[in-house]
Amino acid sequence: MRLIVVQTIAYLALSSLTTSQQIASDPGRGGASLEVVHLYNDLYPQVIAVSSTGRKFSNYARSLDPNNIAYTVAELVSNTTERAYPSAEINSPPGGAINYSTNPPTGANYPNYFIGVQSLVIDPKDRLWILDTGRAATPDGVNVPSTPGGPKLVGIDLRNNTIFQTILFPPTVAYSGSYLNDIRFDLRPSVTASGKGIGYITDSSQEGRNGLVMVDLGTGESWRHLDNTPEVRATRGFLPFIWGEAVYSQPPPPGHPITFSGNFGADGIALSADGDTLFWTAVGSRTLYSIPTERLRDRSATSEIQAEASVVSRGQKGVSDGMETDSNGLIYMGNFEDNAINVFNPANGTVQVFARDPRIAWTDSLAVATDGYIYFVENQLWRTKAYYPGTDRRAKPYVLFRAKCPGNGTKVNLQ
């Protein structure tokens, strides 16, 4: 009886202690307020692009989900529906995105059809550019290599929804194992001899050589720099933690041993507001890097030596995928492990939290629009079959959010 009394007194004392004193805890939210813009209930999205008139477009990579068959580019036509863009036909290569007549199977080599689009961006002239990897995944998740004609950059005039330019990447630039991931544009006439501007692209390949790819929008010529240097590769043994889980990779086919998650190289990319500096990061890294863009445009005999010598580490910034810049020069990026969007300020070298919310996890892409908002897609990539335990744990809908940029920030206008 005495023991019961003592236990009761101890319990009451503990209850009094926990109710009379507030114990510090993580609030889980903070910073900018988020607005839900669109819910994806159909295919699996990655990227968002927003025009000056408010039109919105997303891509659906066939390499990340073999069920992305109906289309790989779409326009968002309501808050919950999308439609193949610019047409259903161009999204449907004859015979499919994979050529099974080769051994092993390869990506279809159609230059006039979308094979496996990974990125789309609206440039300062309000034109939509579509970056096609030329790759797609088999039903068991194996990402097939590309063939010439598949990897390409396609420009669309949004005034009449027609293609005005297609640039094919040669196999010396887009290797069969390349994964052309994201692109940023500088349309100033002074940056290229053609006067038509340049695109900067990350190659995030999980199997091949990582690097940065440049393309002259006037001549269609393309070239590489920083090919497989340590700064464009994932960190060996990299292991992130999202929503309380250790995120290991589960490579296909089924039964393959799990590995560390540092298998995506240079991925997120952002161009400084003045166009003079390019920033990038690997998904399998917590470090932000930069390089003067003049070093990337240089194609002289010693250009690679000078490029490698010009890379700068900007320090740790969390685990992130896509990146974006606003007119104030702030670089936005996800922070998976803290359910946050971070911003890097090149003016003082610091990283701060822009927005924090339990709904934030894998921020695949971000886009600053002329309306002064930053838009970003949350798509639960770490819950696909490509990650341990190798089962699809994604829960629809996937979400497009937006938040107001600070300091009246808006879209960068390099033209």
Side-chain angles (χ1 to χ4, degrees):
M1 181 68 178
R2 180 183 178 188
L3 178 59
I4 294 175
V5 171
V6 171
Q7 289 177 330
T8 301
I9 293 174
Y11 173 77
L12 292 174
L14 182 59
S15 299
S16 175
L17 179 64
T18 57
T19 56
S20 64
Q21 291 185 277
Q22 185 173 359
I23 298 175
S25 63
D26 185 347
R29 297 178 185 268
S33 298
L34 306 187
E35 301 176 26
V36 174
V37 177
H38 186 86
L39 300 177
Y40 299 90
N41 286 293
D42 191 7
L43 302 189
Y44 181 57
Q46 286 77 49
V47 174
I48 181 65
V50 183
S51 76
S52 63
T53 60
R55 295 175 68 183
K56 301 174 183 67
F57 306 86
S58 283
N59 81 282
Y60 310 80
R62 290 175 171 140
S63 57
L64 297 178
D65 190 333
N67 295 313
N68 284 347
I69 296 173
Y71 47 81
T72 186
V73 177
E75 182 170 6
L76 282 53
V77 293
S78 77
N79 292 336
T80 56
T81 57
E82 305 99 50
R83 180 175 57 226
Y85 184 85
S87 68
E89 180 185 9
I90 197 173
N91 279 273
S92 304
I98 297 177
N99 180 3
Y100 285 99
S101 69
T102 61
N103 187 19
T106 54
N109 62 346
Y110 296 111
N112 298 320
Y113 291 87
F114 297 151
I115 308 303
V117 172
Q118 172 58 33
S119 181
L120 37 82
V121 173
I122 291 177
D123 73 13
K125 291 186 176 180
D126 216 35
R127 305 175 299 184
L128 178 66
W129 291 91
I130 294 171
L131 186 62
D132 193 342
T133 66
R135 304 183 67 182
T138 61
D140 61 0
V142 176
N143 200 8
V144 303
S146 68
T147 53
K152 54 187 170 287
L153 180 64
V154 179
I156 297 182
D157 188 335
L158 294 178
R159 295 171 298 182
N160 52 24
N161 302 313
T162 59
I163 294 173
F164 67 86
Q165 187 175 9
T166 297
I167 298 173
L168 302 181
F169 295 101
T172 53
V173 173
Y175 310 130
S176 63
S178 284
Y179 197 81
L180 303 180
N181 191 292
D182 207 352
I183 185 168
R184 293 295 179 268
F185 294 95
D186 185 346
L187 303 185
R188 293 176 296 168
S190 60
V191 298
T192 59
S194 71
K196 300 298 184 180
I198 192 169
Y200 302 95
I201 302 169
T202 48
D203 184 345
S204 66
S205 174
Q206 295 175 274
E207 311 94 344
R209 290 176 286 180
N210 303 123
L212 301 180
V213 173
M214 280 55 65
V215 56
D216 186 319
L217 302 178
T219 66
E221 293 178 283
S222 56
W223 61 97
R224 298 178 69 101
H225 272 311
L226 304 183
D227 218 24
N228 228 26
T229 59
E231 295 86 356
V232 298
R233 300 183 65 184
T235 303
R236 187 168 182 261
F238 181 81
L239 181 65
F241 296 82
I242 305 176
W243 285 3
E245 299 175 351
V247 181
Y248 288 94
S249 288
Q250 181 67 72
H256 194 289
I258 65 171
T259 67
F260 289 102
S261 293
N263 51 3
F264 282 108
D267 188 311
I269 188 172
L271 192 57
S272 63
D274 61 9
D276 292 342
T277 307
L278 189 77
F279 299 85
W280 77 90
T281 186
V283 173
S285 170
R286 293 180 174 84
T287 303
L288 178 67
Y289 293 101
S290 71
I291 189 172
T293 51
E294 65 176 338
R295 296 275 63 86
L296 298 175
R297 297 192 300 270
D298 185 3
R299 301 175 68 184
S300 67
T302 61
S303 59
E304 179 61 21
I305 293 173
Q306 294 183 70
E308 292 184 22
S310 301
V311 174
V312 176
S313 170
R314 299 300 186 113
Q316 301 262 322
K317 45 73 188 170
V319 182
S320 55
D321 191 332
M323 296 165 55
E324 177 65 309
T325 312
D326 73 9
S327 57
N328 292 321
L330 297 178
I331 311 294
Y332 299 80
M333 63 201 77
N335 179 359
F336 301 168
E337 295 176 307
D338 205 30
N339 307 121
I341 304 293
N342 286 356
V343 291
F344 171 74
N345 186 347
N348 58 26
T350 62
V351 176
Q352 303 293 334
V353 174
F354 167 68
R356 191 155 182 258
D357 189 293
R359 296 171 294 179
I360 296 175
W362 196 293
T363 306
D364 201 310
S365 71
L366 307 99
V368 172
T370 55
D371 61 8
Y373 283 86
I374 183 162
Y375 293 76
F376 58 96
V377 174
E378 292 293 329
N379 67 3
Q380 307 169 47
L381 181 60
W382 90 99
R383 304 179 94 185
T384 65
K385 290 182 180 180
Y387 295 89
Y388 181 79
T391 56
D392 190 349
R393 299 180 297 145
R394 294 170 296 174
K396 293 180 180 180
Y398 313 113
V399 188
L400 171 63
F401 290 103
R402 75 173 187 175
K404 192 70 175 175
C405 294
N408 297 316
T410 188
K411 186 180 179 73
V412 172
N413 186 27
L414 290 171
Q415 62 175 317

